[in-house]
Amino acid sequence: MRSKKTKFIFVTGGVVSSLGKGLASASIGALLENRGLDITLLKLDPYINIDPGTMSPFQHGEVFVTDDGGETDMDLGHYERFTNARMSRLNNFTSGRIYHAVIQKERRGEYLGKTVQVIPHITDEIKSCIRQAAQGMDAVIVEVGGTVGDIESLPFLEAIRQMRYDVGAGNAVYMHLTLLPYIGAAGEVKTKPTQHSVMKLREIGIQPDFLICRTDREISREMKDKIAMFCNVDPGNVFTSPDVKSIYELPLELHRQGIDERLAETLNIWTRAARLDRWEDIIRKVYSPGRGEVKVGIVGKYVDLKESYKSLNEALLHGGIANDVKVDLQFVDSQDVEEKGAEALLSGVDAILVPGGFGVRGTEGKIAAVRYAREKRVPFFGICLGLQMAVVEFSRNILELADSNSLEFNEHTPHPVVTLMESQVKVQDKGGTMRLGSYACALKPGSLAHKLYGEDVIQERHRHRYEVNNAYRGRLQEAGLVVSGHNPELNLVEMIELPDHPYFVGCQFHPEFKSKPFAPHPLFSGFIRAALTQRDAGRTQA
């Protein structure tokens, strides 16, 4: 077996945030993997939080969960969706986590009395994390969060500057993502922000080898040559990341420009020719679905910020790909449902989904949405909190247990049908203490869940504290609620369904974290198939 000389691709961003470094990194990973390389990706985040687990979705967007229970940046979701790389807690490090590790070593006396400093101790810790993630890989793509010029990202930038000297100039490249804004009044695309961003990067010792310029329009060869000259970059290494209708078009667009070929040449690494047939097939299904469109109502509390449900949105799109249909996502604020009623806001959708979330705000609207879906026989999918709200709704309206609720929202409820696990009762720290990561789920033979998965036992990722109360489990089942999945080790409810309903499924885990465009998750494929059936039935009745 040949020993691998790992190649490093360091991705930084400038001018403004949210340019798409994560998608660019994921696309490059997809292209290199497509050419036969073993790759992984790593995200370095400059904020002081140990991880994003305690951060509001309004602040940070989605928290992505790995099999080993890591609460990570949402970009790791892009990495997994675009590639076959499996992410873990070793693929996301924050400043807080790095400093915490260094301080722990200092307290243990591992620095032998030396003064602990940013250089070399913090930067050495960062480099150690990069090397650990890169073991056994042909290439590792390291994305540095934030924007060049931010004070908090300087230790990460210094660490990746040093890495080139550590691994050799031929084994590391720097790729910088910048903005090319179009100024309407002048009728021109301006290159000066890119020039200044690169100048800032060079001030700290990093000369980019590649530039990816984010733009909403085509730019000329002459403009690329101008950018190359002022930024001291090979003209053949200046690429654009144009606005695309689907994120899954980006690998094809970057390949069309030849970025994977240039990377292979620059890093002097042998690869096979690219084979992008399946990416082209995905784009065909996204842009030209053969079965029209279905409308899915998503009833949640973070609907004003779509990044909060990034993996969920993509998993629904994957369900559409599996059924050759476009999925129109209609976000409905659960507080609006409380005020206006479910009928007024959901009567036009073909299916209803209640996603995960935390906090009491809007929960009654979610319960009303569940009841509407159950009584009107609209396909329903409840995820995490969505399952819990379905259990509360069933308890109130079928078991007639008035004021049933989750202890999370009402500590004095007479019927806590959703309760806190015993192991969670005394937990005080909020970060990293939920039921996190991959757990087994045994499926009930003959259930819809069993048919969808086609397996007896599955593994899915969790992120929650509260569970269905086993004290009520028997009564729920006697009244017709099917527990179609349970965790055999902890004897906890993992899935529920209603057998006399077109599609009424709830799961305690987050299946969206394991869905890919090439391998849509079976629960989402089944959900969209049910929505399609609902739509066609409605047309027939009309």
Side-chain angles (χ1 to χ4, degrees):
M1 184 176 180
R2 67 187 178 93
S3 61
K4 294 184 178 181
K5 184 70 174 179
T6 303
K7 306 292 184 175
F8 294 85
I9 301 166
F10 297 105
V11 181
T12 57
V15 187
V16 295
S17 60
S18 301
L19 281 180
K21 291 194 304 296
L23 286 170
S25 299
S27 297
I28 291 163
L31 291 173
L32 294 181
E33 185 179 76
N34 187 268
R35 298 176 75 98
L37 300 181
D38 292 328
I39 64 100
T40 192
L41 299 100
L42 176 65
K43 178 70 182 291
L44 302 175
D45 278 307
Y47 48 78
I48 302 299
N49 304 64
I50 295 291
D51 58 44
T54 58
M55 296 168 71
S56 166
F58 292 111
Q59 281 268 317
H60 186 264
E62 172 189 86
V63 175
F64 187 78
V65 178
T66 57
D67 281 338
D68 63 351
E71 294 178 283
T72 70
D73 185 81
M74 62 183 286
D75 280 334
L76 272 72
H78 293 314
Y79 302 164
E80 282 206 354
R81 283 187 287 274
F82 276 62
T83 73
N84 292 315
R86 183 61 62 89
M87 297 294 105
S88 75
R89 61 178 71 247
L90 296 179
N91 295 87
N92 189 197
F93 287 89
T94 67
S95 289
R97 192 169 165 192
I98 296 293
Y99 275 84
H100 186 253
V102 169
I103 290 169
Q104 284 183 316
K105 290 180 179 178
E106 183 273 330
R107 292 289 84 187
R108 292 194 297 264
E110 293 185 25
Y111 296 119
L112 304 177
K114 293 179 181 178
T115 302
V116 180
Q117 298 175 293
V118 173
I119 304 172
H121 301 101
I122 296 296
T123 51
D124 281 353
E125 185 69 22
I126 294 169
K127 291 191 293 181
S128 175
C129 294
I130 295 173
R131 293 192 190 96
Q132 188 177 12
Q135 288 180 2
M137 294 292 130
D138 291 314
V140 56
I141 300 158
V142 182
E143 178 192 348
V144 180
T147 308
V148 169
D150 296 342
I151 190 169
E152 60 263 31
S153 63
L154 286 175
F156 288 120
L157 295 173
E158 171 61 21
I160 67 170
R161 183 195 70 80
Q162 294 176 18
M163 281 289 294
R164 190 166 198 165
Y165 291 93
D166 294 347
V167 303
N171 297 314
V173 297
Y174 299 109
M175 183 174 290
H176 193 52
L177 195 71
T178 69
L179 177 68
L180 285 181
Y182 175 77
I183 307 301
E188 291 181 331
V189 173
K190 294 296 183 180
T191 66
K192 195 64 72 177
T194 292
Q195 295 176 43
H196 279 278
S197 183
V198 171
M199 180 174 65
K200 195 71 180 175
L201 196 60
R202 293 171 71 184
E203 283 177 3
I204 58 179
I206 296 176
Q207 166 62 52
D209 303 289
F210 289 78
L211 288 177
I212 300 180
C213 302
R214 182 68 190 272
T215 174
D216 64 352
R217 64 200 63 229
E218 289 284 335
I219 63 172
S220 65
R221 182 72 257 175
E222 291 75 19
M223 181 165 289
K224 287 186 178 181
D225 289 343
K226 174 184 176 182
I227 293 168
M229 179 181 68
F230 280 105
C231 296
N232 197 32
V233 174
D234 187 313
N237 288 353
V238 178
F239 301 90
T240 60
S241 176
D243 292 347
V244 288
K245 290 193 294 181
S246 169
I247 59 174
Y248 302 117
E249 188 180 353
L250 188 56
L252 293 170
E253 173 61 32
L254 291 175
H255 171 72
R256 183 184 65 79
Q257 297 178 47
I259 196 169
D260 46 331
E261 190 71 37
R262 294 289 293 189
L263 273 170
E265 291 174 3
T266 304
L267 290 168
N268 191 28
I269 188 168
W270 179 88
T271 69
R272 70 181 182 217
R275 302 168 184 169
L276 297 172
D277 293 353
R278 68 174 189 167
W279 282 97
E280 291 167 353
D281 186 52
I282 289 298
I283 289 302
R284 182 196 64 76
K285 290 179 178 177
V286 170
Y287 289 167
S288 303
R291 304 178 73 182
E293 176 182 279
V294 293
K295 294 181 173 62
V296 175
I298 301 175
V299 182
K301 63 183 288 189
Y302 309 121
V303 295
D304 292 330
L305 187 63
K306 305 302 186 293
E307 297 287 85
S308 303
Y309 297 125
K310 190 61 182 176
S311 290
L312 178 67
N313 299 347
E314 294 306 313
L316 287 163
L317 174 64
H318 303 161
I321 291 171
N323 290 281
D324 199 20
V325 66
K326 179 182 177 182
V327 181
D328 177 15
L329 304 181
Q330 301 195 354
F331 292 88
V332 179
D333 192 316
S334 53
Q335 283 188 294
D336 290 342
V337 177
E338 291 178 358
E339 296 170 6
K340 301 175 184 178
E343 178 85 38
L345 298 174
L346 298 172
S347 60
V349 302
D350 302 307
I352 296 169
L353 188 148
V354 176
F358 298 92
V360 68
R361 182 170 61 82
T363 53
E364 291 300 322
K366 294 175 184 179
I367 293 169
V370 174
R371 182 173 187 175
Y372 177 84
R374 180 179 59 80
E375 293 182 343
K376 299 294 185 180
R377 299 180 59 77
V378 178
F380 168 79
F381 191 9
I383 297 175
C384 196
L385 180 62
L387 171 142
Q388 296 172 9
M389 295 297 91
V391 170
V392 171
E393 190 279 327
F394 192 88
S395 300
R396 289 181 184 179
N397 299 307
I398 301 299
L399 290 182
E400 298 182 346
L401 300 177
D403 298 322
S404 297
N405 214 325
S406 166
L407 280 181
E408 181 180 5
F409 310 128
N410 182 359
E411 294 181 356
H412 306 293
T413 174
H415 297 292
V417 293
V418 177
T419 188
L420 197 61
M421 288 176 62
E422 190 172 335
S423 60
Q424 292 281 331
V425 172
K426 295 183 180 180
V427 169
Q428 293 184 339
D429 288 348
K430 298 297 184 185
T433 56
M434 291 184 276
R435 184 151 80 101
L436 289 164
S438 185
Y439 285 82
C441 172
L443 300 177
K444 182 180 177 66
S447 66
L448 176 59
H450 189 266
K451 292 174 184 175
L452 289 169
Y453 277 99
E455 299 178 49
D456 296 329
V457 179
I458 57 168
Q459 294 281 338
E460 292 283 3
R461 300 176 188 177
H462 296 67
R463 184 176 183 253
H464 58 96
R465 295 185 193 280
Y466 290 81
E467 307 279 353
V468 175
N469 191 340
N470 279 335
Y472 289 86
R473 188 161 156 184
R475 295 168 71 179
L476 291 166
Q477 290 176 295
E478 288 173 7
L481 189 71
V482 174
V483 175
S484 53
H486 74 281
N487 177 265
E489 181 182 356
L490 301 172
N491 191 30
L492 296 172
V493 173
E494 293 279 15
M495 295 192 70
I496 62 168
E497 59 187 64
L498 291 177
D500 58 346
H501 193 280
Y503 192 99
F504 193 101
V505 174
C507 59
Q508 186 60 78
F509 45 81
H510 287 268
E512 66 270 27
F513 292 148
K514 296 184 74 171
S515 186
K516 297 172 182 281
F518 311 115
H521 194 284
L523 294 184
F524 286 96
S525 298
F527 179 56
I528 298 303
R529 186 161 55 249
L532 193 57
T533 301
Q534 178 81 3
R535 183 204 69 183
D536 292 343
R539 288 179 178 176
T540 301
Q541 292 172 5

